[in-house]
Amino acid sequence: EAQNGASDELAPPAGSGQAVVSVHDTAIADATGLELTVVRDFLDNADGVKFAVERDGDTRTVTALLTD
């Protein structure tokens, strides 16, 4: 669901791999205009699918992109 609201400006450049910096769930919600609960629910279910998600209390942070 969060991906539907994402824009190209949020996507890392091709070949960035592990050089991409962490993105907090609040920043994703702000950038996409989605409710924070929706973003957090998506991240809870997407961990390990396309990126690694770190949890600290209620906060979710995307920490790395995963490659096949």
Side-chain angles (χ1 to χ4, degrees), residues 14-55:
S16 294
Q18 297 299 321
V20 175
V21 298
S22 296
V23 179
H24 289 282
D25 52 2
T26 52
I28 295 169
D30 288 343
T32 61
L34 295 169
E35 294 292 326
L36 184 57
T37 55
V38 171
V39 173
R40 287 180 175 169
D41 183 54
F42 172 80
L43 293 175
D44 282 341
N45 294 305
D47 188 16
V49 175
K50 294 186 180 183
F51 43 78
V53 176
E54 183 177 289
R55 291 165 184 79

